[in-house]
Amino acid sequence: MLYHLYELQHATISPLRMAADASKKWLRNPVNPLSYTHQGRAAAAAFDVFTHITHRYGKPEFGLDTTVINGETVAVTEEIVHSEPFCNLLHFKRETDHLKNQPDDPRLLIVAPLSGHFSTLLRGTVEALLPDHDVYITDWIDARMVPVHQGHFDLDSYIDYVMQFLRKLGPNTHLMAVCQPSVPVVAAASLMAAGNEPCQPASMTLMGGPVDTRENPTEVNNFAKQHSLDWFERHVITHVPLPHAGVMRRVYPGFMQLAGFMSMNWDKHVSAHHEMFTHLVEGDGESADAKRNFYHEYLAVMDMSAEFYLQTLKAVFHEHQLPEGTMRWQGVPVEPSAITKTALLTVEGERDDITGMGQTRAAHKLCANLPDNMRMHHIQKGVGHYGVFNGRRWREQISPRIKDFIRRHDQQGKGRKSAPDMTRIEAAE
């Protein structure tokens, strides 16, 4: 009934939202004398904020139409190069035919998090990496849009997708995991290394990922640990209702995830919307649009399959299977110690309140047989979770280090140069 009540609430409030939108437009119409008064602007701003917070947002666009390579503007087109029921492998194809010097940039697969938001949350991540890399990304599909006959999707399926995509892209592909994918990405690299596959990644960058949540556990980690899997199944798992294509699929709904996200920083979100209201009253459209654009992305959420959500809770947060050495993929042991050919870079944010300091760095201990000149750890001071892969410090301090690390370990380059010794942990202001 949970999903049905949500749909009923959305349908019930739709007429109010339409009335508010019409009122907002009328109060801002130049022929209306009220549009020139403080009261009129305040009322219009209130209607604007109401329509904003009650709107249901679909999947946003990446909107990355161009990039700059060696000072020249290059067109970018999106193309799906491989499809699975729950994910598309999306390529940001750079139209470089007109360039005098053709770029020979490293091929990079970004594994986007499957934790409630669409892969477009990494728009800033992709944008910063496009000038120097041939970028692909996992574009996860909303589980409510996948018909039941397409089968199930769990953590094993996730790992299988990553390995399939790496084989599709071929040898010397670099791998990046942002937050949640860190565990399945390490698992995929481990399995491919154990099989000595030619397509095992050349490098692996883990950013703010919960490799070992026993290190400096956060509020999110503690909440997951304090409740049983049965509790989660009873309280947050429901069936997709009509008219969605995935009707009767068991999911962890996006609106439940969004409620969890916002409850962690409720005061901050209330303050942000009050500021938006103030900006609108004062006529500061630029500042209001900046907040509106952020929330268009933040409020756009997707459902996750119940089996993936519950299996991830069990493997990552309850049993810590990867660091404990008990993780299995379709019955096959996952052994990170098998990794010897994939360079490892881990990145953490000093103020990360979702993935605590040390949780991502734990991957180095697991990849015990990796030489020191193939590993590096970076701590970015002054940033929280989202600052690890978005924002000014991502662009100016984190992404340049990642680009250098990938270049250093690209097998089509001039050969491997010595990376910083693991004992020289980088921490940037």
Side-chain angles (χ1 to χ4, degrees):
M1 290 296 295
L2 185 64
Y3 219 133
H4 291 82
L5 289 173
Y6 170 73
E7 294 289 345
L8 177 62
Q9 176 264 341
H10 179 73
T12 302
I13 210 169
S14 291
L16 297 177
R17 185 171 58 254
M18 294 173 63
D21 186 58
S23 299
K24 173 192 69 176
K25 292 176 179 177
W26 169 240
L27 287 168
R28 288 178 176 166
N29 194 312
V31 303
N32 186 351
L34 287 174
S35 66
Y36 302 98
T37 67
H38 177 80
Q39 292 82 357
R41 291 194 300 272
F47 287 130
D48 196 335
V49 173
F50 176 79
T51 58
H52 168 75
I53 62 177
T54 58
H55 186 73
R56 178 186 286 180
Y57 296 93
K59 181 185 176 182
E61 299 290 334
F62 273 101
L64 299 175
D65 300 323
T66 62
T67 189
V68 177
I69 300 177
N70 297 325
E72 295 193 49
T73 300
V74 172
V76 176
T77 57
E78 298 177 17
E79 59 177 2
I80 297 173
V81 297
H82 186 80
S83 291
E84 294 292 337
F86 288 85
C87 188
N88 291 320
L89 179 58
L90 187 64
H91 180 212
F92 295 92
K93 184 180 180 181
R94 304 176 302 173
E95 306 295 343
T96 61
D97 292 344
H98 69 286
L99 296 182
K100 183 177 181 180
N101 298 317
Q102 290 295 308
D104 185 21
D105 293 330
R107 184 168 52 249
L108 174 63
L109 170 59
I110 301 175
V111 183
L114 181 54
S115 54
H117 286 106
F118 292 94
S119 58
T120 51
L121 187 68
L122 303 188
R123 182 184 296 103
T125 313
V126 174
E127 184 177 23
L129 296 169
L130 263 178
D132 305 285
H133 304 85
D134 184 19
V135 179
Y136 296 76
I137 194 170
T138 55
D139 193 16
W140 300 106
I141 297 172
D142 192 338
R144 70 176 176 172
M145 304 307 296
V146 183
V148 174
H149 70 78
Q150 294 277 20
H152 77 292
F153 180 85
D154 58 14
L155 186 57
D156 281 1
S157 307
Y158 193 120
I159 295 169
D160 186 52
Y161 276 24
V162 173
M163 292 192 291
Q164 283 189 55
F165 293 158
L166 285 169
R167 292 170 187 139
K168 171 72 176 180
L169 296 178
N172 197 35
T173 297
H174 300 265
L175 193 56
M176 173 186 287
V178 180
C179 187
Q180 171 271 324
S182 292
V183 168
V185 159
V186 171
S190 302
L191 290 162
M192 296 181 79
N196 196 27
E197 294 195 29
C199 294
Q200 56 188 293
S203 75
M204 177 170 58
T205 300
L206 310 179
M207 305 175 65
V211 176
D212 189 348
T213 58
R214 296 171 298 183
E215 299 283 341
N216 294 315
T218 63
E219 182 181 343
V220 175
N221 305 148
N222 290 332
F223 182 83
K225 187 74 172 177
Q226 289 166 4
H227 295 81
S228 67
L229 291 179
D230 181 64
W231 184 92
F232 282 105
E233 187 157 10
R234 285 186 287 107
H235 287 84
V236 302
I237 301 300
T238 186
H239 290 86
V240 176
L242 288 170
H244 305 294
V247 60
M248 293 308 295
R249 179 177 293 282
R250 295 177 71 243
V251 295
Y252 176 34
F255 64 85
M256 290 290 292
Q257 299 170 64
L258 181 61
F261 292 148
M262 299 193 75
S263 66
M264 292 177 58
N265 297 284
W266 183 250
D267 292 344
K268 177 181 176 181
H269 293 297
V270 171
S271 176
H273 282 86
H274 182 266
E275 289 173 4
M276 182 191 298
F277 170 80
T278 303
H279 292 321
L280 291 168
V281 173
E282 295 173 347
D284 186 358
E286 185 176 350
S287 297
D289 285 343
K291 291 190 180 297
R292 195 195 317 274
N293 291 337
F294 169 79
Y295 278 102
H296 280 183
E297 186 76 51
Y298 190 80
L299 297 175
V301 290
M302 58 187 290
D303 297 352
M304 286 192 291
S305 70
E307 56 270 22
F308 169 76
Y309 176 71
L310 294 172
Q311 191 178 353
T312 299
L313 277 174
K314 178 181 179 180
V316 178
F317 297 98
H318 283 193
E319 298 181 357
H320 316 286
Q321 292 179 4
L322 188 64
E324 283 288 338
T326 59
M327 191 172 189
R328 299 287 186 273
W329 172 77
Q330 298 182 1
V332 179
V334 174
E335 300 174 342
S337 60
I339 298 175
T340 58
K341 299 178 181 179
T342 300
L344 175 63
L345 167 61
T346 51
V347 181
E348 295 181 330
E350 181 188 35
R351 298 178 181 175
D352 195 332
D353 60 353
I354 294 179
T355 304
M357 290 273 287
Q359 293 187 14
T360 312
R361 185 183 177 183
H364 289 282
K365 186 184 297 183
L366 303 181
C367 300
N369 293 321
L370 197 62
D372 285 344
N373 69 337
M374 292 179 64
R375 60 173 80 220
M376 177 179 166
H377 179 64
H378 173 68
I379 300 170
Q380 182 62 50
K381 291 187 178 295
V383 302
H385 188 70
Y386 292 99
V388 170
F389 57 90
N390 262 319
R392 179 177 61 83
R393 286 179 178 167
W394 152 250
R395 293 190 302 271
E396 297 177 359
Q397 299 186 31
I398 300 174
S399 67
R401 286 174 168 83
I402 293 174
K403 294 174 185 178
D404 179 68
F405 186 82
I406 289 176
R407 286 280 182 183
R408 189 180 299 140
H409 296 284
D410 190 61
Q411 295 167 10
Q412 290 182 355
K414 298 179 180 179
R416 298 182 185 272
K417 299 178 182 178
S418 295
D421 189 275
M422 185 56 196
T423 57
R424 294 165 56 191
I425 304 300
E426 292 196 5
E429 294 291 345

